[in-house]
């Protein structure tokens, strides 16, 4: 951590313990900022009056259910909204986006409604956008449609931006081929907006002007060292009407530091803080990082466009596969079953199934790589 960041966190700690009822009892601690608890949205939602700023009056509100399905009301002032918007725009400037730009926002449900592809093709012609923004699955579906139709977007287009969903291996190349512009990733939350954005190297660079990011062990709730995978917790330097301090996102990733530039980067895993349920214990879904090579091979060498691993019973998993080539599912079952059994230290069965569509979560429109049906 740089000295300037340490000073900012010290100042934030003083501000929090002087301003908010929740943090006042925590003032004067030797560890300062790092004595503050990690929080989930449910804890804030139950105690909103303790997190309320005594003078700021929020003027705007939005709602998010998040992948966990917990309803949450996000509030902010117009000044905060402007600051969040400017932080995001600063990340897009290097990609050539003009100040007065036209945005085409893709529906989260677009992949469920094939007729929508023609609708968005027409919008591309009519609006001549500078930026196309959508979930990666929607961007990919539109890209494939445009390539098959021989349609080329207007020259006004500067970039396409994924948000809120992990991209499948190989999809970015198809998207860039179809639209003729760079593919970028925007990682953020409805609560605080920007956390990280793609830089010219394609890595997810943290916007340290706006946020401070930590990686924690989700079970022990203790910070992990750089390079270790864990749950992402974020602190906003912008939000004051409702502060988000050491706020647990539910996403899994690791923090990396570029020694030359001093920049911090995030590497995300395509799973959240879901658990693999076993009769005698729960295993955190972050173990799927050990299967990255297996799933990458599926995508790059075996024609798998999209996949989802579903835990149906304690020892039974179903691997859903969307493919564009012939695939031996029995061979996949023979490989993945023993691998997963080894990592879980429990015998499991994996059934692979080729499907025509992998539906997104109806609560939030996201398509995750792992879900458990065991409550």
């Amino acid at each position: 951590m740089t000295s300037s960041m340490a000073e900012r966190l010290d100042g934030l700690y003083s501000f929090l313990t002087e301003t908010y009822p929740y943090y006042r009892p925590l003032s004067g601690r030797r560890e300062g900022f790092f004595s503050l608890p990690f929080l989930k949205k449910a804890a804030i939602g139950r105690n909103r009056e303790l997190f309320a700023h005594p003078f700021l009056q929020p003027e705007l509100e939005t709602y998010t259910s998040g992948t966990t399905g917990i309803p949450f009301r996000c509030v902010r002032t117009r000044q905060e909204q402007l600051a969040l918007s400017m932080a995001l725009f600063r990340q897009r400037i290097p990609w050539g986006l003009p100040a007065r730009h036209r945005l085409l926002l893709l529906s989260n449900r677009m992949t469920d409604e094939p007729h929508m592809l023609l609708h968005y093709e027409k919008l591309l012609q009519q609006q001549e956008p500078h930026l196309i923004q959508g979930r990666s699955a929607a961007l990919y579906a539109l890209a494939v449609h445009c390539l098959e139709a021989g349609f080329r977007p207007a020259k006004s287009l500067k970039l396409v931006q994924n948000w809120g969903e992990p991209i499948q291996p190989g999809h970015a190349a198809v998207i860039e081929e179809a639209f003729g512009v760079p593919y970028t990733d925007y990682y953020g939350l409805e609560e605080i907006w920007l956390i990280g954005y793609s830089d010219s190297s394609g890595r997810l660079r943290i916007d340290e002007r706006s946020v401070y990011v930590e990686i924690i062990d989700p079970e022990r709730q203790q910070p992990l060292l750089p390079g270790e995978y864990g749950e992402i917790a974020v602190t906003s330097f912008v939000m004051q009407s409702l502060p988000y301090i050491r706020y647990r996102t539910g996403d899994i990733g690791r923090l990396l530091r570029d020694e030359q530039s001093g920049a911090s980067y995030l590497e995300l895993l395509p799973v959240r803080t879901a658990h693999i349920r076993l009769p005698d214990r729960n295993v955190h879904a972050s173990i799927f990082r050990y299967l990255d090579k297996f799933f990458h091979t599926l995508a790059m060498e075996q024609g798998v466009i999209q996949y989802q691993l579903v835990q149906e019973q304690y020892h039974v998993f179903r691997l859903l596969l969307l493919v564009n080539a012939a695939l031996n599912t029995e061979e996949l079952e023979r490989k993945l079953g023993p691998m997963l059994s080894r990592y879980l230290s429990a015998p499991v069965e994996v059934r692979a199934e080729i499907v025509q569509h992998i539906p997104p979560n109806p609560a939030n429109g996201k398509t995750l790589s792992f879900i458990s049906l065991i409550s």
Side-chain angles (χ1 to χ4, degrees), residues 2-176:
T2 64
S3 58
S4 61
M5 180 61 77
E7 290 176 3
R8 293 184 74 188
L9 293 177
D10 286 342
L12 180 59
Y13 171 73
S14 298
F15 169 75
L16 292 168
T17 54
E18 292 169 3
T19 306
Y20 301 94
Y22 181 85
Y23 291 109
R24 282 179 197 146
L26 306 177
S27 64
R29 298 193 174 187
R30 183 170 57 86
E31 301 89 352
F33 173 85
F34 295 100
S35 68
L36 302 179
F38 293 98
L39 294 173
K40 290 185 176 182
K41 66 172 67 172
I44 298 176
R46 288 193 302 266
N47 302 283
R48 275 186 176 263
E49 69 282 359
L50 299 179
F51 292 94
H53 193 285
F55 305 116
L56 293 178
Q57 296 297 323
E59 304 156 277
L60 306 170
E61 67 177 22
T62 57
Y63 289 84
T64 176
S65 62
T67 303
T68 61
I70 300 173
F72 191 78
R73 181 170 61 94
C74 309
V75 297
R76 60 182 64 97
T77 65
R78 295 191 185 278
Q79 289 78 12
E80 288 170 335
Q81 177 90 337
L82 178 60
L84 298 176
S85 297
M86 289 304 299
L88 181 55
F89 179 63
R90 282 196 301 268
Q91 301 299 318
R92 293 166 170 172
I93 289 176
W95 300 99
L97 192 70
R100 295 182 177 274
H101 57 269
R102 296 182 295 277
L103 165 68
L104 179 60
L105 182 63
L106 304 185
S107 166
N108 294 342
R109 316 295 179 186
M110 193 177 77
T111 54
D112 286 336
E113 304 172 11
H115 69 276
M116 294 293 285
L117 293 170
L118 284 173
H119 170 69
Y120 279 103
E121 179 186 333
K122 292 179 180 178
L123 290 181
L124 281 171
Q125 294 173 319
Q126 296 168 358
Q127 298 182 6
E128 297 188 346
H130 298 96
L131 167 66
I132 302 174
Q133 176 177 296
R135 306 267 195 241
S136 61
L139 290 169
Y140 178 77
L142 184 59
V144 171
H145 170 81
C146 289
L147 287 172
E148 292 176 348
F151 172 75
R152 299 294 295 179
K155 294 181 179 180
S156 60
L157 192 62
K158 300 297 182 184
L159 73 157
V160 294
Q161 176 191 285
N162 172 41
W163 66 320
E165 186 175 271
I167 191 167
Q168 301 285 330
H171 283 201
V174 174
I175 292 169
E176 291 187 335

Side-chain angles (χ1 to χ4, degrees), residues 294 328-340 350-352:
F294 177 85
N328 188 332
T329 56
E330 293 182 358
E331 181 181 355
L332 288 182
E333 293 170 350
R334 287 195 298 269
K335 289 182 179 179
L336 184 56
M339 289 174 64
L340 196 53
V350 177
R351 303 167 181 167

Side-chain angles (χ1 to χ4, degrees), residues 298 301-304 321-329 331-332 354:
L298 282 183
E301 298 179 12
Q302 301 198 40
V304 174
L321 300 163
L322 194 64
V323 302
N324 60 10
L327 187 65
N328 188 332
T329 56
E331 181 181 355
L332 288 182
I354 296 175

Side-chain angles (χ1 to χ4, degrees), residues 177-192:
E177 178 187 358
F179 298 122
V181 295
Y183 165 90
T184 63
D185 270 310
Y186 162 37
Y187 173 57
L189 305 174
E190 178 61 31
E191 296 92 316
I192 62 173

Side-chain angles (χ1 to χ4, degrees), residues 98-294:
R100 295 182 177 274
H101 57 269
R102 296 182 295 277
L103 165 68
L104 179 60
L105 182 63
L106 304 185
S107 166
N108 294 342
R109 316 295 179 186
M110 193 177 77
T111 54
D112 286 336
E113 304 172 11
H115 69 276
M116 294 293 285
L117 293 170
L118 284 173
H119 170 69
Y120 279 103
E121 179 186 333
K122 292 179 180 178
L123 290 181
L124 281 171
Q125 294 173 319
Q126 296 168 358
Q127 298 182 6
E128 297 188 346
H130 298 96
L131 167 66
I132 302 174
Q133 176 177 296
R135 306 267 195 241
S136 61
L139 290 169
Y140 178 77
L142 184 59
V144 171
H145 170 81
C146 289
L147 287 172
E148 292 176 348
F151 172 75
R152 299 294 295 179
K155 294 181 179 180
S156 60
L157 192 62
K158 300 297 182 184
L159 73 157
V160 294
Q161 176 191 285
N162 172 41
W163 66 320
E165 186 175 271
I167 191 167
Q168 301 285 330
H171 283 201
V174 174
I175 292 169
E176 291 187 335
E177 178 187 358
F179 298 122
V181 295
Y183 165 90
T184 63
D185 270 310
Y186 162 37
Y187 173 57
L189 305 174
E190 178 61 31
E191 296 92 316
I192 62 173
W193 287 29
L194 176 67
I195 298 173
Y197 204 92
S198 295
D199 69 0
S200 58
S201 69
R203 295 181 294 172
L204 199 60
R205 181 169 180 167
I206 297 171
D207 179 31
E208 294 184 296
R209 292 176 60 174
S210 302
V211 298
Y212 174 68
V213 174
E214 299 172 89
I215 305 297
I216 67 171
D217 182 313
E219 306 300 332
R220 297 185 298 113
Q221 296 189 41
Q222 293 294 322
L224 298 174
L225 295 174
E228 293 187 284
Y229 281 100
E231 183 179 356
I232 299 168
V234 62
T235 292
S236 173
F237 291 123
V238 175
M239 294 300 301
Q240 295 183 3
S241 55
L242 184 64
Y244 296 94
I245 308 300
R246 309 191 91 181
Y247 184 63
R248 297 176 61 176
T249 66
D251 294 321
I252 297 296
R254 64 174 177 168
L255 189 63
L256 301 173
R257 188 85 176 172
D258 188 306
E259 296 301 329
Q260 291 186 334
S261 67
S264 294
Y265 293 87
L266 274 174
E267 284 188 1
L268 302 177
L269 284 182
V271 295
R272 287 178 59 88
T273 50
H275 286 87
I276 301 168
R277 311 287 184 182
L278 297 175
D280 58 340
R281 67 191 192 282
N282 294 331
V283 180
H284 199 270
S286 59
I287 70 151
F288 286 115
R289 64 184 180 272
Y290 300 119
L291 297 173
D292 271 359
K293 185 176 180 180
F294 177 85

